[in-house]
Amino acid sequence: EGLLAQYESFTCDSEAALDVANAPADRPLITCDDTGVYKYILGPVEMSGETITDAVAQVAATSTGASTGQWVVQITLDKKGTKTFGEISTRMHGQPEPANMFAFVLDSKVLSAPTMNGVILDGRPSISGSFTQETAQVLANQLKFGALPIGFTVQSQEDISATLGSN
């Protein structure tokens, strides 16, 4: 069965949609957005979230510093991410839709699928759209904290006997 046929038969509420978290990163992925409304065919992963060092929600400004009133998510990438994103943006900018679209994916669900509106070589892409302050903040947090590996360090440990409850 071809990829397009798989896409056409895929539904966001199916068993297959629940199992996309186990999909290999080096192959195309058919998945949905986190609301289950839109479905996508995504190419293999080209850049991991670990390259995102920061993401903040802010009001966009013009080149003269005047506020546009539009909420955006401003991303900061590390050195490796800056280089990779620069290559990706150079390749994608100016392509017809959907070839100019990319996706931010967390747990195999699409958080955002913007179009590439420029060549971005400085490692500071921003995502614009119809954001409110709250939706921009949610996406910024997902990008910032979803990209971080989480580990726990034991600060203290205490063994308590089972007889404690009888006291």
Side-chain angles (χ1 to χ4, degrees):
E1 181 176 11
L3 188 60
L4 189 55
Q6 289 176 29
Y7 173 79
E8 289 172 353
S9 66
F10 186 92
T11 58
C12 294
D13 59 355
S14 69
E15 187 96 9
L18 298 174
D19 195 41
V20 294
N22 299 321
D26 61 347
R27 289 217 195 100
L29 171 69
I30 300 172
T31 191
C32 298
D33 69 333
D34 57 355
T35 65
V37 175
Y38 300 102
K39 65 180 178 177
Y40 302 89
I41 299 176
L42 303 176
V45 175
E46 290 192 64
M47 192 172 119
S48 71
E50 285 82 24
T51 63
I52 297 173
T53 59
D54 199 13
V56 295
Q58 63 187 36
V59 177
T62 65
S63 58
T64 61
S67 171
T68 66
Q70 180 186 30
W71 282 93
V72 298
V73 176
Q74 181 65 54
I75 301 169
T76 305
L77 302 171
D78 66 12
K79 187 175 179 179
K80 180 181 175 192
T82 297
K83 181 180 184 301
T84 303
F85 198 82
E87 292 166 357
I88 293 168
S89 69
T90 300
R91 184 182 76 238
M92 294 179 76
H93 177 63
Q95 296 294 318
E97 201 169 297
N100 69 344
M101 294 177 72
F102 61 101
F104 291 98
V105 179
L106 180 63
D107 296 332
S108 297
K109 298 288 184 195
V110 174
L111 299 177
S112 180
T115 57
M116 189 66 72
N117 296 331
V119 175
I120 301 164
L121 303 174
D122 66 356
R124 296 197 35 86
S126 65
I127 307 171
S128 59
S130 54
F131 290 115
T132 63
Q133 180 177 0
E134 182 181 354
T135 59
Q137 188 62 59
V138 166
L139 180 57
N141 287 340
Q142 288 172 318
L143 294 174
K144 182 166 45 176
F145 299 116
L148 299 176
I150 296 176
F152 295 97
T153 304
V154 175
Q155 297 295 320
S156 69
Q157 181 175 337
E158 186 177 336
D159 292 325
I160 301 173
S161 71
T163 59
L164 182 64
S166 64
N167 293 337

